[in-house]
Amino acid sequence: MEIAFLGMGLMGAPMAANCIKAGHDVVVYNRTPEKNEPLVKLGARAAATPAEAVRGRRMTLICVEASEDVEQVIFGENGIVHGMPQSGEPPFVVVDHSTISPIATEEFAKRLKNDFGALYLDAPVSGGTVGAQQGTLTVMCGGPLEAFERARPVLEAMATSITHIGTRNGDGQKAKIINQVVVAINCLATDEAVRLGQALGLDMDKVLSAITKGAAGSWSLQNLGPRWLAGDFEPGFRLRHLLKDLGYCSESIDHLEDKNAEYPAIWLALGIVARAVQAGYGDENIHAMEKIFE
Amino acid sequence: MEIAFLGMGLMGAPMAANCIKAGHDVVVYNRTPEKNEPLVKLGARAAATPAEAVRGRRMTLICVEASEDVEQVIFGENGIVHGMPQSGEPPFVVVDHSTISPIATEEFAKRLKNDFGALYLDAPVSGGTVGAQQGTLTVMCGGPLEAFERARPVLEAMATSITHIGTRNGDGQKAKIINQVVVAINCLATDEAVRLGQALGLDMDKVLSAITKGAAGSWSLQNLGPRWLAGDFEPGFRLRHLLKDLGYCSESIDHLEDKNAEYPAIWLALGIVARAVQAGYGDENIHAMEKIFE
């Protein structure tokens, strides 16, 4: 397919590379143009603006950082709305792989539909840079079935688990929020278990290998527990990005009709992550969150 | 081997059955003697007291509920110290499969060693009643290597994962505490994720199957998440037992030299579990802990 791909960051670049390798015709755009170069070598064409990237195409993928960035590449100066075809069939499709606010997502989808006749699919991913490189991401999609079906051949180039969570825009982002809530709280469990085990004088390598296959088992305990023990906090998924995602979670809870709903573990995770970012651990991997207690 | 097995509860009975099936010669004891009957049918002999159960034997296994129960069957009226051989070789070995206090464990081991010349191995298990029945438990052992080596042939009849965590008595119980801490906090993650997803109007079956294989994955999310959705709180592991175990965790933290150590997620889990037990959910499975917020 002929697509544009906006955002050549740590996730976007390998995702775009997998699209090219799967035979799609890709125009890439990035704010700092140097990051386009490896993709151009793989066969992409580089555009100077989002508007230019989508000219004559009927689909764009986006992978940037936050709600504001998505708004900018869509509606900002030189945003895609200034370049995309606004008539003809099939309608233009915007697929957003960024993890952003479900509330902002709903609004972007509505504006694109009403003012430009375009379809929107929120399609945040999980699996990290390794999953992006290997094409083994998990994609959670929200939006009209037509947008999902149009996007599917491209998603298959990047992901091994593709779920159409629901037809409302924002459903994909909400599913990603649920994912991040579990990631954050499971990480609290891992950090406190390893810290307490060390304080109790246990050989935690032995303990971890004894317990990870049972009812205490988690991706977190298996992958991040040994990294805490080894003092390895190299970022795969940065604490400041988790803080951003928990912010979207918090915003979503504020928008619930039930104002009395209680989520104490989510608030605890948010508090600890915020304090850890403030303490300077934002660019370390998420399991650095409990370094503030050391 | 010729052994005694004290405590024919939901865990002890299937564990003793697996010892008999593996060819060991087992004398069983239980406070309410009716529960001995299925084991007698399998070939065990039933004793009226712990003292009688261990007479002429050089090893006993124990699987009861709490520290006080272990103390009772060892040192109480008609406890094993009134029946076990206190001289000759090899020394008598007490293997405690109950999940009890590491502090009490150290004390029991010391008394047995000093006053009766016996060896002690704390060997709490995880894997639940299903693991006990299938002989696929995880055993975490603390105590002298000699006791561990003596017990190993019997442990192999009941468990597929057997780890000698350390040579200090209490190391097995401390490892079990670490296990329970992770179980409790991962369960908070599962409960809050499922509750929030429902409040956000998501199809949580789809979300769970999308996220459980990735970085959010855990035994808890995979097994307890769908049970929350199905309204299934049938006990496999009861909330009041988790409360007991978190009490031992709390006692162990109080005994740490570092009085400033912070474990906020552990305290949150303890608070929620305590409140849920008080609210009447103690005999439901542990994921009922967040029913208090519904």
Side-chain angles (χ1 to χ4, degrees):
Chain A
M1 285 171 73
E2 296 190 335
I3 58 168
F5 202 125
L6 315 179
M8 295 297 115
L10 283 175
M11 294 296 290
M15 290 165 72
N18 282 325
C19 291
I20 298 166
K21 287 173 195 162
H24 298 291
D25 176 336
V26 184
V27 178
V28 294
Y29 161 79
N30 195 65
R31 207 160 35 182
T32 42
E34 295 72 33
K35 292 199 177 160
N36 292 325
E37 286 166 19
L39 287 303
V40 170
K41 276 183 193 147
L42 284 175
R45 180 159 62 79
T49 66
E52 186 195 316
V54 296
R55 199 151 285 143
R57 320 228 127 191
R58 296 207 166 261
M59 185 179 302
T60 191
L61 279 54
I62 300 175
C63 193
V64 292
E65 193 165 316
S67 303
E68 310 81 75
D69 306 312
V70 174
E71 185 167 27
Q72 185 63 31
V73 298
I74 298 178
F75 303 105
E77 200 185 346
N78 298 317
I80 60 165
V81 297
H82 304 294
M84 71 195 197
Q86 289 175 36
S87 60
E89 279 297 322
F92 193 82
V93 175
V94 175
V95 181
D96 179 28
H97 292 299
S98 326
T99 296
I100 68 163
S101 158
I103 320 285
T105 292
E106 271 184 76
E107 189 215 311
F108 298 160
K110 201 174 290 173
R111 281 173 71 187
L112 276 169
K113 178 79 182 165
N114 294 347
D115 300 348
F116 305 96
L119 300 176
Y120 191 92
L121 189 75
D122 47 300
V125 299
S126 83
T129 48
V130 172
Q133 283 155 8
Q134 300 181 341
T136 56
L137 292 169
T138 293
V139 195
M140 292 153 265
C141 303
L145 186 61
E146 182 184 353
F148 178 72
E149 291 301 348
R150 290 267 305 284
R152 196 203 288 267
V154 187
L155 300 181
E156 283 170 352
M158 302 181 285
T160 42
S161 164
I162 301 167
T163 308
H164 191 205
I165 301 288
T167 55
R168 299 176 311 171
N169 278 115
D171 280 351
Q173 296 295 351
K174 287 173 183 166
K176 180 70 190 285
I177 281 173
I178 300 303
N179 186 77
Q180 301 305 72
V181 158
V182 178
V183 163
I185 303 173
N186 284 356
C187 187
L188 284 182
T190 298
D191 280 2
E192 295 202 14
V194 174
R195 289 172 51 237
L196 177 57
Q198 290 181 308
L200 291 170
L202 292 173
D203 179 338
M204 281 305 294
D205 289 320
K206 278 191 187 172
V207 175
L208 288 181
S209 63
I211 71 177
T212 39
K213 278 173 197 147
S218 70
W219 184 95
S220 180
L221 195 68
Q222 181 152 21
N223 290 275
L224 303 181
R227 291 188 61 192
W228 177 287
L229 293 176
D232 169 11
F233 297 93
E234 273 296 302
F237 179 45
R238 286 169 206 268
L239 204 46
R240 64 183 170 83
H241 291 144
L242 182 60
L243 179 58
K244 181 199 72 158
D245 298 351
L246 291 176
Y248 297 136
C249 172
S250 165
E251 183 196 22
S252 300
I253 292 176
D254 291 342
H255 278 72
L256 289 177
E257 272 180 40
D258 178 3
K259 295 295 172 205
N260 296 315
E262 295 188 60
Y263 300 101
I266 294 177
W267 302 137
L268 180 68
L270 177 58
I272 289 174
V273 171
R275 196 179 145 196
V277 168
Q278 198 163 46
Y281 299 118
D283 281 308
E284 298 193 19
N285 200 62
I286 60 163
H287 63 296
M289 61 174 72
E290 289 219 348
K291 275 190 170 182
I292 53 175
F293 300 129
E294 288 292 287
Chain B
M1 285 170 76
E2 296 190 334
I3 59 169
F5 202 126
L6 316 179
M8 296 296 116
L10 284 175
M11 294 295 291
M15 288 165 71
N18 282 326
C19 291
I20 298 165
K21 288 174 195 163
H24 299 290
D25 176 336
V26 184
V27 179
V28 295
Y29 161 79
N30 195 64
R31 207 160 37 182
T32 44
E34 294 73 32
K35 293 200 176 158
N36 292 326
E37 286 165 19
L39 287 303
V40 170
K41 277 184 190 144
L42 285 176
R45 179 160 63 79
T49 66
E52 186 194 316
V54 297
R55 198 151 286 144
R57 320 231 127 191
R58 297 206 166 261
M59 186 179 302
T60 190
L61 279 53
I62 301 175
C63 193
V64 293
E65 194 165 315
S67 302
E68 311 80 76
D69 306 312
V70 174
E71 185 166 27
Q72 186 63 31
V73 298
I74 297 178
F75 303 105
E77 200 185 347
N78 297 317
I80 60 165
V81 296
H82 304 294
M84 72 193 196
Q86 289 175 36
S87 59
E89 279 297 323
F92 193 83
V93 175
V94 176
V95 180
D96 179 28
H97 292 299
S98 326
T99 295
I100 68 163
S101 157
I103 319 285
T105 293
E106 271 182 76
E107 188 214 311
F108 299 160
K110 201 174 289 174
R111 281 174 71 188
L112 277 168
K113 179 76 182 165
N114 294 346
D115 299 349
F116 305 96
L119 299 176
Y120 191 92
L121 188 75
D122 46 302
V125 299
S126 84
T129 48
V130 172
Q133 283 154 10
Q134 299 180 343
T136 56
L137 291 170
T138 292
V139 195
M140 291 152 268
C141 303
L145 185 61
E146 182 184 353
F148 178 71
E149 290 300 348
R150 290 267 307 283
R152 196 203 288 266
V154 188
L155 301 181
E156 284 170 352
M158 303 182 284
T160 42
S161 163
I162 301 167
T163 308
H164 190 205
I165 301 288
T167 54
R168 298 176 311 172
N169 278 115
D171 280 351
Q173 296 295 351
K174 287 173 183 168
K176 180 70 189 283
I177 281 174
I178 300 303
N179 187 77
Q180 301 304 73
V181 159
V182 178
V183 164
I185 303 173
N186 284 355
C187 187
L188 285 182
T190 297
D191 281 3
E192 294 202 16
V194 175
R195 289 171 53 234
L196 177 58
Q198 289 181 309
L200 291 171
L202 292 173
D203 178 338
M204 280 306 294
D205 289 320
K206 278 191 186 172
V207 175
L208 288 182
S209 64
I211 72 176
T212 40
K213 279 173 197 146
S218 70
W219 184 96
S220 181
L221 195 68
Q222 182 153 23
N223 290 275
L224 303 180
R227 293 188 61 193
W228 178 286
L229 293 175
D232 169 11
F233 297 93
E234 274 296 303
F237 179 45
R238 286 169 206 268
L239 205 46
R240 63 182 170 85
H241 291 144
L242 183 60
L243 179 58
K244 182 199 73 157
D245 298 351
L246 291 176
Y248 296 136
C249 172
S250 164
E251 184 196 23
S252 301
I253 291 176
D254 292 342
H255 278 72
L256 288 177
E257 272 181 40
D258 178 4
K259 295 297 173 205
N260 296 314
E262 295 189 60
Y263 299 101
I266 294 177
W267 302 137
L268 179 69
L270 177 57
I272 289 173
V273 171
R275 196 179 145 195
V277 169
Q278 196 164 48
Y281 300 118
D283 281 308
E284 300 193 18
N285 200 64
I286 60 162
H287 62 295
M289 62 173 73
E290 289 220 347
K291 275 190 170 180
I292 53 176
F293 300 129
E294 288 293 286

